[in-house]
Amino acid sequence: MSQRTLLLLSQDNAHYERLLKAANLPHLRILRADNQSDAEKLIGEAHILMAEPARAKPLLPKANKLSWFQSTYAGVDVLLDPDSRRDYQLTNVRGIFGPLMSEYVFGHLLSLMRQIPLYREQQKQRLWQSHPYQGLKGRTMLILGTGSIGQHIAHTGKHFGMKVLGISRSGRERAGFDQVYQLPALNKMLAQADVIVSVLPATRDTRHLFNAARFEHCKPGAILFNVGRGSAVHSGDLLTALRTGKLAMAVLDVFEQEPLPADSPLWGQPNLIVTPHNSAYSFPDDVAQIFVRNYIRFIDGQPLDGKIDFDKGY
Amino acid sequence: MSQRTLLLLSQDNAHYERLLKAANLPHLRILRADNQSDAEKLIGEAHILMAEPARAKPLLPKANKLSWFQSTYAGVDVLLDPDSRRDYQLTNVRGIFGPLMSEYVFGHLLSLMRQIPLYREQQKQRLWQSHPYQGLKGRTMLILGTGSIGQHIAHTGKHFGMKVLGISRSGRERAGFDQVYQLPALNKMLAQADVIVSVLPATRDTRHLFNAARFEHCKPGAILFNVGRGSAVHSGDLLTALRTGKLAMAVLDVFEQEPLPADSPLWGQPNLIVTPHNSAYSFPDDVAQIFVRNYIRFIDGQPLDGKIDFDKGY
């Protein structure tokens, strides 16, 4: 079998090189491009790319030998424009983000439910004063997206005694969910949801799914999380919903434009929490392990894990 | 069968009266004492007390007909002085605090791990900047006390992929724990624990269990939670441990003196979180349900749930 060339194009190149060399993968030559000029020099040799999508995108037209692109991120939407190349296999990382995203969602949710910031302020004033609260038990969580991340968040919700509903394209039953519905049921489900969590990818169908008309259906007091893609939420309409009380609170890790511009009114909205797209993180050890498993499949001609359907967009 | 008189002595009297009347318990006469003078007038008639321990304590010498005291709280240590009455059955509420305490512990823990206060500050400055973090997976939690609260916290820890160790009087295996040890193993276990959670009651054996000598055994970077009783932690030694870095962080819901006095140095310690003894709360609906079940047992002459052993202290 002939040798394959892998080009590494990520901020964790050194780490990946060490891990992959240690794995002794057969017939694999590993190259690193740590800067733009190296990348342009080496891209023509690459049969395989292991890269951050945005970093690799401008180089794709010159990747003449490319047959497989392993994204080091979950989000690959920058590679899915209708006029982009589709003559290679694109895989993303899946299955490793569920626990971290669940920690993010429940860390923020419990911090809000249990008024942690309020007690922090009271501590500064040396004030011993308790305020009423309710637990998560019996509350309803609606999760948009029932893949591995959605399922993990659902299991955590069930652990805390919540009722967990899901929305997916197929409406198929999934582990951790009490019930899964298709998109047309969304408005009806929103009326029941105390907590809404979007883990949706960026596709044509999910763009601005949360807009002014949608927020009309939310239960008063509801909290919205977006840990999927920013495009699922219309920022202007969200601000109005937060200002008028259609929605009690939003916790956003993703935005239509990232980094969120300093002049965005989202930063200053009191009932909105902004975090810099870090609800989950691709730990290099996990990503390298996914690559190793996929490489064995690749040289065996087997279907790759995490393969993106260019039409569906995920 | 003769009638029994129940005297309600709590801040939720009206709520309890409504729930218990609706339960139509046989042979039960329900009296309410909403203030001190009513309480002194009525205490002599009570066969049964349903009360907050501290509120009932001064009245006990006059409770001539008392045969059963259902505490509305978990903590009953004020009733356990060696020279207090022991000629009645004392029961506390159990089994309802696990979920709330687990929400408290993991709300604070995830808020710390995911640096929620830091991102809150950055949001005020409109600063988009991510910082490294680690998940809970693979970390070790040591829980002191393996009863229903400890078990619930243990299950949550397992859900988040933690290794969960326990310390109990018996060292008996318990659901949710990878391993349970007896007290003499504490120092050795502390050396492994990233997170320490005390749910211990106030007894002679638990008093100042966490003192200067103990903190010497903690793993650098460890976080200590106390959601049991304040007496388990020596406050002065804790402050020293926090100042010298023997311990990275403490989250305390209970204190040797409550309310925590305004001049306590604990309030101002930066790596210490103070909350006003509200990690769990006796929701009247839950407490009333426990009373109803126990009342049926009481009139049938069966053993009561949650019965306190005056010698053991829990």
Side-chain angles (χ1 to χ4, degrees), chain A residues 46-49 57 59-69 79-91 298 304 307-311:
Chain A
H47 302 99
I48 309 170
L49 270 176
K57 183 184 163 79
L59 299 162
L60 283 188
K62 293 183 189 164
N64 299 321
K65 295 185 182 164
L66 182 68
S67 69
W68 169 33
F69 181 153
L79 304 172
L80 302 180
D81 304 339
D83 52 349
S84 314
R85 277 179 70 167
R86 297 181 166 205
D87 60 345
Y88 63 97
Q89 298 195 78
L90 174 61
T91 55
F298 180 70
L304 302 183
K307 192 171 169 188
I308 300 295
D309 177 324
F310 282 96
D311 288 319

Side-chain angles (χ1 to χ4, degrees), chain B residues 45 97 181 183 198 218 249 268 276 287:
Chain B
E45 299 184 42
F97 299 116
Y181 302 86
L183 204 51
S198 172
C218 288
M249 190 84 204
V287 178

Side-chain angles (χ1 to χ4, degrees), chain B residues 94-109:
Chain B
R94 293 182 194 180
I96 61 176
F97 299 116
L100 291 173
M101 292 225 174
S102 191
E103 291 182 7
Y104 175 93
V105 168
F106 284 86
H108 280 280
L109 181 57

Side-chain angles (χ1 to χ4, degrees), chain A residues 100 103 114 119 123 126 128-130 133 135-136 156 159 255 259-260 262 264 267 272-274 276 278-281, chain B residues 100 103 114 119 123 126 128-130 133 135-136 156 159 255 259-260 262 264 267 272 274 276 278-281:
Chain A
L100 291 173
E103 290 182 7
R114 301 301 286 260
Y119 289 107
Q123 183 174 348
R126 299 177 173 245
W128 179 277
Q129 191 182 311
S130 199
Y133 62 87
L136 292 179
T156 309
H159 173 80
F255 301 87
L260 186 65
S264 165
W267 288 110
L272 171 61
I273 292 173
V274 171
N278 68 349
S279 66
Y281 172 72
Chain B
L100 291 173
E103 291 182 7
R114 301 301 286 260
Y119 289 107
Q123 182 174 348
R126 298 177 172 246
W128 179 276
Q129 193 183 310
S130 199
Y133 62 87
L136 293 180
T156 308
H159 173 80
F255 301 88
L260 186 64
S264 165
W267 288 109
L272 171 61
V274 171
N278 68 349
S279 65
Y281 172 72

Side-chain angles (χ1 to χ4, degrees), chain B residues 213-251:
Chain B
R214 194 74 63 187
F215 291 125
E216 292 292 330
H217 296 275
C218 288
K219 187 175 171 178
I223 303 173
L224 170 69
F225 285 83
N226 191 5
V227 290
R229 279 300 188 211
S231 59
V233 177
H234 186 289
S235 307
D237 290 358
L238 172 69
L239 272 177
T240 307
L242 288 168
R243 284 172 183 154
T244 56
K246 298 277 175 211
L247 204 62
M249 190 84 204
V251 181

